[in-house]
Amino acid sequence: MVSPLVFWIVAGITIIAALAVVNLTNLIHSALWLIVAFVGVAITYLILEAEFLAAVQIIVYAGAIAILIVFGVMLTRRGDIRESNLFNNYRLAGGLISLGLMATIVTMVVKTQWAIDVAAVPANSVGLLAQNLLGQFVIPFEIAAMLLLVALVGAIIIAKEVRD
Amino acid sequence: MENLFVNISGALRGWFTGMGLPPMAVEAIMALVFLVAILAFVLLNVVYLVYLERKLSAYMQQRLGPNRVGPRGLFQTLLDVLKLFGKEDIIPNAADRWVFRLAAILVMVPAIMAFAVVPFGQGMIAVDLNIGIFYFVAVSSTATIAFLMAGWGSNNKWALLGGMRTVAQMVSYELPMVLSLLGVVMLAGSLRISDIMAAQKTVWFVVLQPVAFLIYLVASTAELNRQPFDLPEGEQELTAGPFTEYSGMRYALFFLAEYTNMIAVSAIAATLFLGGPQGPWLPSWLWFVIKVYVMIGIYMWFRWTFPRIRMDHLLAFNWKFLVPLSLANVLVTGIGLEIYKWFQTIRW
Amino acid sequence: MSLADDKFLRTEELTLNMGPQHPSTHGVYRAILTLDGEYIKGMENVIGYLHRGMEKLAEARTYPQFIPYPDRLDYAAGMLNELGYVQAVEKLMGIEVPERAEYIRIIMAELQRMASHMVMLGSYALDLGGYTPWMYFFRDREKILDLFEMASGARMTPCYMRIGGVAEDLPPEFLPQLRKFMDSMPASFEEYDNIVTGNEIFIARTKGVGVLPVEKLLSYGVTGPNLRAAGVDYDLRKVAPYGIYDRFEFDVPVYENGDCFDRFVIRIAEMKQSLRILEQAIKDLPEGPIKAKVPRVIKPPKGEVYHQIEGSKGVLGYYVVSDETNKPYRLHIHGPSFINLGALPDMCMDLTLQDVIATIASIDFILGEVDR
Amino acid sequence: MDKHMSLDEVIAGLQAKYPEQLEVVEDSLQPAVRVKSDILLKVMQELKEEYGLDFLADLTAVDLGDEGFRAINHVMSWKPYRMLRVEVDVPKNRPRVPSLTDLWAAANVQEREAFDMFGIIYEGHPKLTRILLSDNFEGYPLRKDFKITSRRK
Amino acid sequence: MVTLNHYLILAAILFCIGFYGAVAKKNAVAVLMGIELMLNSVNINLVAFNRFLNPGEMTGHIFALMVIVVAAAEVAVGLALILNIYRQRLTTDVNDLDWLKW
């Protein structure tokens, strides 16, 4: 078990990064902080002994973030990049709602009694994951694959230049 | 000789434990020791890789190469590094300062991190993760961001174009690279580096997976941004791509990262396809270094032979050729594995 | 604005200043590019950074004093530029050049043509990112420059031609050295083929890139290898032989597509023809004087002449107006690079940024000649 | 019309058509005609389209001192090789010549250069700006009355 | 000692920040970022539940993987939509996307 200190540090960094993502007005900086948040989440997975997921988190989100930045650059070159990520009129309402939501979830979480299982994580967790994915969960797996394919095709069709 | 470094590390560990430190502290110190050892190995190699690159290119181009500083120019790179230290560190006024500064440092992080799973010899892996090779893939995929940060942070159109190209190139070549590694993983039946090494006791995977090896070679050249895939940098087109505005040590860091990445990628190739640190007569770590240098030699040979490919050709080559080929390779490997299993059942 | 009347795609264009300080502009040349992504939607040449007022300078120099100046025009082809100038003056004065001098001029001109082509070929490969071919071409160019040094004392700016002949006779070790160079070339040609023209990436990057229809090329006044690569058989050495070019047997290589690849390989083919001319020139090289009898002070009769020669980059013309003094009244230099560069924006339209680099290098201009 | 006729025939043909505005330059080393600027475009178009002299070899100008400028155009054909000089006298106080850019794209840069050096205005040129000299350069350096200001103080 | 509650609360905080971003931001790309944060917090929940309630099986991990796949698909399509909208309207401001026909 990893020291609790690591968790506190990682959790703190992740939350700060997430706040920065939302509050900064430069889209690129937001995207860069988003990477920090994602890496924080990946380390959280590591603490939870989910190495495979941690690696997936990094590989999927790091690539996606780069693309996000590119989009940010492409789509905001027209104006001032420092003002590219402003708030809309729902800032106050959104803030209040999310605070309320958080309060609700936290109270719910604290009040619930969980049936904690103290067993250790199996050594060959990756192998187990693979067997599960291609055994018991093969249909969701295939559907996910199909979904990705459809999303790929759909994205290409939508983003394709419209010529008349 | 064989266990030289393993013994050193064992002795260190014993020494630290003997000092009465708690096990966790010993682990932390040992991790630090490994890190320092890897850094030392990498930096030393990079300095002489630059020298090797220059000498090799000189021989290919019928020149002499560096031959003034020290015997046969051996100290040329050291002096170059010193010179870069002495240079003014220029940050453009309009640059995004923190992004600009951080990019030069961040570019080194994935390069160094990848070495955590590199087996420098028998029993010489810093961390033998059970997702070993996947860890390498994940870490190296983050390198894109540093390039993009450099390109964007410089506030320079050439740099931005270079950064955009980097994203397009590295994200798309990631795919065939991972898929080519998949063939090896299927044969070994594990992501763990030591398992993959053990699976190559008799036959190297380059024999069983020649197509995967070639795909890996091409895709990793693209990942390294080296000729013929050095479009992000493309001196003749984008002056220096994302590095256009960098100077002094920050520029040197990008260079350092490029060569560090080259060692890492070569090390992974040597591990996955060339049997890793295994071979007769010589100590395992020496074998490993030899194999890594063979791979590095190939990359350098590429660089000094090919002209630069064009952006649209680059992407078309990836999506229309490499990716389908690597998918087919995975398929063929799977079928081959099944046939092999079936043969084994009927033999018994 | 309603959406209905603006249906077509809107994308943003990026204006990019390529140069004056850029690795691929071959000197201080600037192109203002309008990019849509990586595609060129507009291009404008900005030149003049190297302007030295050579035509004005000529009006303050005597005729022989001007001979070193053409060297600095197209500094990759000094001999050819001088040849054009001295022949123009000779034409104006009606001077007959001795046989031996004519042959030496041919030798120098063809060597210079090869050297100039090697610069282009080498830097072209370099501009496409191939470092090694560049060294191969420059290795061979070095041998030519050594020959020039032997004959004239200088490598790039020889100042070797004189009105009425050449400055010095060939030194005795010149011809054996030239022989050696010529014997070494066939192997070099094979190497060029192996490392550049046979390379898949090179072919993919140059085939079909930077093409202009022939009519447009002619309208732009493009000459030299760039025009011949597009299938037009115009070579002044054949069409209107100057000097003694009518005595030599050689072919004019003509290609069909006029793309960057053809512009590249046609120069290699021309080098082979230059070798043929050299071969014959060495064989027939007569003994005799190397300089005609010219008056001590050169004062051409009143008149004007426009003289053209086939330079390495196209037709190089000198328009000389004399007012019977010892200085030209007006000297106009028609540099092929200047004219060829005019066609560049049209060639680059709708190509990618990388193709622009390839096209710029393929039309082979030297800024010294563009700006004068 | 025969596009390969000899230069003498070309000149004769032109002279017959424009007896007033065109004269043949005597005692010239190379064949040359001098035309008035109002028929320049027509003559050039005929040379290009009817007589086959369809390649603009060179375009420049000469300062004749007090008499004004002379715009010099060389047109040529390659096969057979013929070259004809077409001169236009331009008055000093009103240096205007019709532009040849519609006939030959090659005229574009060369006319800009002549404008840059002599200040001759080519009417109908799409973008007649300085090309070699900097935009804020004063004067036209190839004019004979141009004084070079000393750089040393 | 770090318990399940810690992870759940961390996830809750991340989720609310993401929600705030998704609701209160002008730029469509930023809205996507907020949604990504929310999806990530859900994944933390899934993995934490898996680790603390049923470490012997990988169900939570598999759910998390599915979420990542869906998130990837969503980002791809979302970005394509944003790109296309930008081409039509030259804006990525969600407030401006109030027209009902293309």
Side-chain angles (χ1 to χ4, degrees):
Chain A
M1 200 70 200
V2 195
S3 144
L5 190 65
V6 181
F7 170 78
W8 288 114
I9 294 171
V10 170
I13 290 174
T14 312
I15 288 168
I16 290 171
L19 281 172
V21 171
V22 175
N23 282 312
L24 289 177
T25 52
N26 185 331
L27 190 61
I28 306 299
H29 289 179
S30 287
L32 291 174
W33 278 106
L34 193 59
I35 302 172
V36 180
F38 284 160
V39 172
V41 173
I43 298 174
T44 315
Y45 290 165
L46 274 184
I47 302 172
L48 289 165
E49 292 168 71
E51 298 96 344
F52 186 77
L53 267 187
V56 168
Q57 168 87 7
I58 286 180
I59 198 171
V60 170
Y61 284 113
I65 287 306
I67 307 265
L68 266 183
I69 298 177
V70 169
F71 268 81
V73 174
M74 270 177 9
L75 303 185
T76 47
R77 206 186 305 116
R78 187 154 284 256
D80 186 0
I81 188 79
R82 272 164 293 177
E83 308 258 301
S84 58
N85 194 10
L86 300 175
F87 286 98
N88 60 16
N89 305 333
Y90 305 111
R91 182 176 190 180
L92 192 67
L96 288 178
I97 292 174
S98 30
L99 275 179
L101 189 65
M102 189 165 77
T104 321
I105 298 176
V106 171
T107 24
M108 301 270 281
V109 163
V110 174
K111 279 189 178 165
T112 316
Q113 285 297 312
W114 305 103
I116 302 285
D117 187 342
V118 287
V121 175
N124 185 17
S125 61
V126 184
L128 204 59
L129 190 65
Q131 273 159 18
N132 268 322
L133 262 184
L134 295 177
Q136 196 185 348
F137 294 98
V138 70
I139 292 179
F141 179 76
E142 292 298 334
I143 290 175
M146 279 306 293
L147 175 69
L148 272 182
L149 185 68
V150 171
L152 197 70
V153 175
I156 290 171
I157 289 174
I158 294 172
K160 213 174 156 233
E161 298 184 18
V162 195
R163 288 208 177 91
D164 31 26
Chain B
M1 279 309 276
E2 168 62 44
N3 287 327
L4 180 64
F5 293 101
V6 180
N7 289 343
I8 291 174
S9 108
L12 273 175
R13 189 183 291 271
W15 190 51
F16 288 131
T17 326
M19 280 162 69
L21 292 169
M24 200 172 257
V26 173
E27 282 307 313
I29 291 172
M30 284 313 289
L32 213 62
V33 169
F34 288 146
L35 182 65
V36 170
I38 287 172
L39 271 178
F41 173 80
V42 167
L43 292 182
L44 204 77
N45 271 287
V46 165
V47 167
Y48 280 93
L49 273 183
V50 177
Y51 175 76
L52 178 72
E53 175 114 56
R54 294 176 69 173
K55 273 291 185 196
L56 212 65
S57 68
Y59 285 128
M60 287 186 188
Q61 300 174 350
Q62 315 179 341
R63 322 181 261 123
L64 288 175
N67 61 354
R68 293 289 142 152
V69 191
R72 294 184 162 269
L74 271 171
F75 303 138
Q76 179 72 51
T77 337
L78 288 175
L79 220 67
D80 284 345
V81 172
L82 271 182
K83 179 201 75 176
L84 285 171
F85 263 119
K87 277 195 154 182
E88 187 189 353
D89 178 27
I90 300 166
I91 301 181
N93 265 337
D96 195 334
R97 290 178 166 260
W98 276 104
V99 177
F100 185 81
R101 284 193 189 127
L102 266 179
I105 299 158
L106 278 184
V107 73
M108 278 304 289
V109 173
I112 296 286
M113 273 177 81
F115 281 95
V117 294
V118 167
F120 291 95
Q122 212 68 264
M124 279 169 65
I125 310 179
V127 201
D128 196 6
L129 290 172
N130 62 352
I131 54 163
I133 196 64
F134 194 50
Y135 165 85
F136 166 76
V137 169
V139 163
S140 61
S141 75
T142 54
T144 320
I145 290 162
F147 284 98
L148 192 52
M149 280 169 76
W152 188 79
S154 311
N155 195 13
N156 174 315
K157 284 173 182 170
W158 299 110
L160 185 62
L161 270 178
M164 301 277 216
R165 280 183 176 185
T166 319
V167 174
Q169 173 175 334
M170 288 177 85
V171 169
S172 40
Y173 272 80
E174 192 101 9
L175 213 59
M177 192 167 106
V178 176
L179 286 174
S180 71
L181 296 183
L182 203 55
V184 171
V185 173
M186 283 165 80
L187 290 188
S190 170
L191 291 168
R192 195 188 289 271
I193 297 278
S194 52
D195 291 348
I196 295 175
M197 271 159 57
Q200 297 182 75
K201 268 256 147 40
T202 46
V203 187
W204 290 359
F205 280 153
V206 67
V207 181
L208 297 177
Q209 287 281 328
V211 181
F213 179 69
L214 290 178
I215 294 170
Y216 179 84
L217 203 60
V218 174
S220 59
T221 316
E223 288 283 301
L224 289 171
N225 300 330
R226 284 175 71 85
Q227 228 106 5
F229 302 108
D230 67 335
L231 289 114
E233 203 182 327
E235 286 105 333
Q236 287 84 9
E237 293 137 21
L238 303 180
T239 46
F243 328 135
T244 307
E245 296 284 358
Y246 283 87
S247 62
M249 264 332 273
R250 278 180 220 281
Y251 183 70
L253 277 176
F254 280 105
F255 247 76
L256 193 62
E258 185 190 327
Y259 283 96
T260 314
N261 269 324
M262 187 156 75
I263 302 176
V265 164
S266 307
I268 294 296
T271 314
L272 261 54
F273 293 103
L274 302 181
Q278 300 175 42
W281 310 305
L282 292 171
S284 60
W285 43 272
L286 200 57
W287 264 116
F288 186 71
V289 171
I290 290 171
K291 286 172 185 173
V292 168
Y293 268 82
V294 167
M295 287 303 297
I296 289 173
I298 295 176
Y299 288 126
M300 289 187 176
W301 186 19
F302 277 2
R303 172 163 182 182
W304 299 110
T305 310
F306 291 124
R308 187 176 305 114
I309 195 166
R310 206 168 78 195
M311 195 68 202
D312 49 340
H313 292 163
L314 173 100
L315 295 179
F317 177 64
N318 180 54
W319 293 107
K320 293 183 186 160
F321 181 73
L322 274 189
V323 171
L325 184 67
S326 50
L327 283 173
N329 182 53
V330 170
L331 184 72
V332 170
T333 310
I335 294 171
L337 269 178
E338 283 304 312
I339 293 173
Y340 179 69
K341 275 187 198 149
W342 178 68
F343 261 117
Q344 279 190 323
T345 49
I346 55 167
R347 194 187 295 165
W348 294 120
Chain C
M1 174 169 38
S2 76
L3 281 169
D5 51 16
D6 195 40
K7 258 194 167 170
F8 56 89
L9 188 78
R10 270 183 294 192
T11 42
E12 269 180 45
E13 288 180 347
L14 176 76
T15 307
L16 198 60
N17 248 322
M18 197 167 102
Q21 304 286 332
H22 187 275
S24 298
T25 51
H26 294 223
V28 276
Y29 152 75
R30 174 168 147 223
I32 302 174
L33 302 172
T34 313
L35 295 178
D36 176 19
E38 288 229 3
Y39 289 88
I40 307 295
K41 292 292 163 206
M43 182 175 185
E44 193 190 331
N45 288 330
V46 180
I47 56 174
Y49 294 95
L50 205 61
H51 181 63
R52 290 150 294 176
M54 222 170 246
E55 292 175 9
K56 186 75 181 171
L57 283 167
E59 292 172 13
R61 302 283 179 282
T62 62
Y63 284 95
Q65 269 179 347
F66 189 69
I67 293 176
Y69 285 82
D71 285 340
R72 276 95 181 150
L73 271 178
D74 172 359
Y75 34 76
M79 288 281 190
L80 283 164
N81 300 341
E82 288 172 21
L83 181 66
Y85 171 67
V86 296
Q87 282 189 340
V89 179
E90 283 157 10
K91 209 175 197 176
L92 200 56
M93 298 176 70
I95 295 174
E96 279 289 318
V97 182
E99 283 284 290
R100 185 171 171 84
E102 287 279 24
Y103 274 94
I104 293 175
R105 280 180 177 186
I106 297 285
I107 292 174
M108 291 304 173
E110 290 309 314
L111 279 175
Q112 185 71 74
R113 191 182 311 280
M114 291 177 80
S116 166
H117 283 350
M118 280 166 186
V119 173
M120 180 271 172
L121 298 167
S123 51
Y124 191 69
L126 186 66
D127 277 347
L128 294 190
Y131 294 87
T132 305
W134 177 61
M135 292 306 293
Y136 280 39
F137 286 111
F138 271 57
R139 168 199 67 194
D140 291 329
R141 174 173 177 260
E142 200 62 23
K143 298 173 187 161
I144 299 179
L145 296 187
D146 283 347
L147 286 169
F148 284 166
E149 189 177 8
M150 220 178 260
S152 70
R155 287 154 51 86
M156 293 235 335
T157 51
C159 190
Y160 185 62
M161 306 289 172
R162 290 289 181 272
I163 296 167
V166 293
E168 298 280 341
D169 204 349
L170 296 177
E173 66 273 22
F174 183 88
L175 285 177
Q177 193 73 19
L178 177 60
R179 190 74 259 166
K180 233 163 96 187
F181 162 72
M182 285 163 61
D183 292 342
S184 78
M185 277 314 282
S188 291
F189 285 133
E190 210 159 294
E191 271 180 356
Y192 301 161
D193 205 38
N194 285 339
I195 196 163
V196 196
T197 44
N199 187 308
E200 283 286 337
I201 298 175
F202 179 82
I203 294 171
R205 277 203 62 180
T206 51
K207 275 255 158 89
V209 170
V211 188
L212 264 193
V214 176
E215 306 82 61
K216 273 209 162 169
L217 283 177
L218 287 171
S219 167
Y220 271 115
V222 173
T223 47
N226 297 329
L227 183 63
R228 292 193 287 274
V232 185
D233 184 15
Y234 288 169
D235 188 327
L236 271 183
R237 291 177 295 173
K238 272 273 191 249
V239 174
Y242 52 91
I244 51 166
Y245 269 110
D246 43 357
R247 298 186 198 172
F248 296 100
E249 229 178 83
F250 64 99
D251 303 322
V252 178
V254 176
Y255 283 75
E256 280 167 11
N257 303 319
D259 51 11
C260 291
F261 184 78
D262 281 358
R263 276 178 233 149
F264 188 90
V265 288
I266 197 168
R267 285 179 164 91
I268 294 183
E270 284 195 3
M271 279 161 64
K272 289 178 183 161
Q273 295 305 321
S274 290
L275 274 185
R276 268 179 76 187
I277 297 176
L278 280 175
E279 199 83 50
Q280 298 165 40
I282 293 178
K283 202 176 83 218
D284 300 340
L285 181 66
E287 292 296 325
I290 52 149
K291 218 169 166 188
K293 288 222 178 317
V294 287
R296 189 166 286 267
V297 179
I298 291 176
K299 281 186 183 171
K302 199 169 165 65
E304 50 204 285
V305 71
Y306 182 66
H307 180 66
Q308 291 178 309
I309 65 160
E310 183 72 28
S312 59
K313 293 164 180 69
V315 170
L316 174 70
Y318 286 89
Y319 177 60
V320 188
V321 183
S322 159
D323 59 350
E324 262 180 309
T325 58
N326 58 352
K327 293 172 183 167
Y329 182 77
R330 165 96 172 103
L331 181 89
H332 173 67
I333 303 158
H334 178 91
S337 299
F338 181 62
I339 305 299
N340 292 352
L341 192 59
L344 182 66
D346 233 5
M347 273 183 200
C348 292
M349 215 44 72
D350 291 323
L351 298 179
T352 66
L353 184 58
Q354 279 181 303
D355 291 333
V356 171
I357 306 295
T359 313
I360 284 180
S362 79
I363 69 168
D364 185 22
F365 58 87
I366 296 273
L367 264 303
E369 192 175 69
V370 174
D371 294 344
R372 277 158 290 158
Chain D
M1 210 173 284
D2 182 17
K3 287 200 171 184
H4 301 286
M5 63 172 64
S6 74
L7 269 182
D8 295 333
E9 289 169 309
V10 171
I11 294 171
L14 281 174
Q15 212 168 13
K17 193 161 180 194
Y18 304 103
E20 293 291 305
Q21 295 108 318
L22 184 137
E23 59 174 302
V24 179
V25 182
E26 302 297 331
D27 66 3
S28 169
L29 276 172
Q30 289 162 321
V33 291
R34 194 167 297 154
V35 301
K36 294 270 183 303
S37 78
D38 49 343
I39 61 154
L40 175 70
L41 267 182
K42 266 190 248 167
V43 170
M44 291 309 243
Q45 191 155 11
E46 272 166 40
L47 283 172
K48 181 185 176 185
E49 281 157 16
E50 287 169 29
Y51 297 102
L53 287 158
D54 55 357
F55 193 87
L56 183 69
D58 185 43
L59 189 155
T60 184
V62 178
D63 184 0
L64 300 176
D66 298 333
E67 298 157 41
F69 304 110
R70 183 171 290 162
I72 311 278
N73 311 301
H74 286 92
V75 285
M76 66 184 275
S77 69
W78 290 85
K79 284 178 180 170
Y81 179 77
R82 296 169 297 173
M83 186 157 68
L84 177 68
R85 177 158 66 239
V86 182
E87 303 177 348
V88 186
D89 277 336
V90 186
K92 194 136 215 172
N93 48 7
R94 198 175 164 278
R96 285 171 188 277
V97 195
S99 165
L100 300 182
T101 39
D102 289 340
L103 294 174
W104 287 285
N108 189 323
V109 282
Q110 301 185 63
E111 282 175 0
R112 275 180 75 184
E113 193 201 346
F115 164 75
D116 204 356
M117 298 296 166
F118 290 97
I120 298 175
I121 293 164
Y122 289 87
E123 289 171 320
H125 190 284
K127 190 190 173 195
L128 199 64
T129 52
R130 291 205 178 267
I131 183 168
L132 294 179
L133 300 171
S134 62
D135 289 338
N136 53 5
F137 191 88
E138 281 176 27
Y140 300 100
L142 279 184
R143 287 186 178 183
K144 288 288 178 189
D145 55 7
F146 179 79
K147 288 278 177 294
I148 299 168
T149 46
S150 167
R151 249 187 246 171
R152 298 197 195 94
K153 290 270 163 66
Chain E
M1 185 64 197
V2 185
T3 62
L4 175 58
N5 281 358
H6 289 96
Y7 290 100
L8 296 186
I9 291 169
L10 169 66
I13 294 172
L14 277 185
F15 186 87
C16 292
I17 295 173
F19 178 77
Y20 175 50
V23 169
K25 279 292 184 179
K26 255 185 177 176
N27 194 321
V29 179
V31 173
L32 265 185
M33 289 183 195
I35 295 171
E36 289 301 310
L37 274 179
M38 288 156 75
L39 288 168
N40 263 272
S41 75
V42 171
N43 276 354
I44 296 183
N45 273 355
L46 290 172
V47 178
F49 279 135
N50 187 85
R51 172 71 189 84
F52 285 96
L53 302 185
N54 195 0
E57 283 186 41
M58 313 305 286
T59 328
H61 289 192
I62 287 167
F63 265 97
L65 271 180
M66 294 300 159
V67 171
I68 288 177
V69 168
V70 173
E74 171 243 316
V75 168
V77 178
L79 284 177
L81 279 174
I82 292 173
L83 183 67
N84 211 344
I85 289 168
Y86 181 76
R87 279 180 178 159
Q88 301 287 340
R89 297 226 108 182
L90 286 180
T91 177
T92 49
D93 189 338
V94 282
N95 288 348
D96 295 347
L97 309 184
D98 51 359
W99 79 105
L100 286 176
K101 70 181 173 80
W102 203 248

